[in-house]
Amino acid sequence: MGRDRAKTFADRLPRVVPKEESDISSLSDEMADILYPGRRPKPFRMGVIFDAFGGPNYPRALAVAKRSPVYRDIGAGTTLRHRAEFEAGEAENMRELYDIVGPISTTDVLVDGRSVPYSRELWLPLFWLFLKGGV
């Protein structure tokens, strides 16, 4: 019998860098999904994206949004928007934020990072069931 032949030239080269990192805890969720899809389970999150607005509730809304582990600003100046997502254990924070920014017409509700139909009417009440004592 003959030797097994390498399928590609790259298979013949010695390994300099391992194909996979053993510890990916330092990578962000987004980067881990790109480099190693499905390797790290992603938690289910509900979120909101809201515009900067005037009034006394804006600093409070910003403080609650910054409690999110994945809070970020989008844009700058007059197009500044804030994005905050919360896991089920943080449903109380999500509800507090939504009570402030929900009435604003430009507020978007996200389900697992995406805008989906009935997110305000169906998904938010289901998410709030995780609150202590129910809705």
Side-chain angles (χ1 to χ4, degrees):
M1 290 202 129
R3 288 186 351 205
D4 291 333
R5 296 192 64 113
K7 294 179 182 175
T8 65
F9 179 74
D11 292 336
R12 295 179 194 177
L13 298 174
R15 291 274 173 239
V16 176
V17 178
K19 282 188 173 187
E20 251 185 40
E21 294 181 52
S22 57
D23 180 26
I24 60 170
S25 61
S26 63
L27 297 175
S28 68
D29 287 340
E30 187 176 4
M31 185 60 76
D33 284 345
I34 292 169
L35 294 175
Y36 308 108
R39 184 163 167 203
R40 179 169 41 180
K42 194 170 126 185
F44 178 78
R45 292 186 176 124
M46 291 285 298
V48 291
I49 300 177
F50 63 97
D51 294 332
F53 60 93
N57 284 333
Y58 180 65
R60 187 171 145 238
L62 205 52
V64 174
K66 288 185 178 182
R67 290 183 210 158
S68 166
V70 291
Y71 168 80
R72 67 178 179 211
D73 292 330
I74 304 167
T78 59
T79 62
L80 178 65
R81 299 193 85 196
H82 304 281
R83 179 180 179 143
E85 296 181 44
F86 299 95
E87 296 176 22
E90 304 162 326
E92 194 169 319
N93 290 329
M94 175 65 182
R95 184 164 191 171
E96 184 179 350
L97 180 59
Y98 186 76
D99 285 344
I100 300 168
V101 300
I104 300 170
S105 63
T106 57
T107 298
D108 297 321
V109 176
L110 304 174
V111 178
D112 211 20
R114 290 180 240 124
S115 183
V116 298
Y118 304 109
S119 56
R120 290 176 186 249
E121 298 85 2
L122 176 66
W123 287 97
L124 275 178
L126 289 173
F127 189 69
W128 289 330
L129 288 174
F130 288 101
L131 287 171
K132 295 174 186 167
V135 185

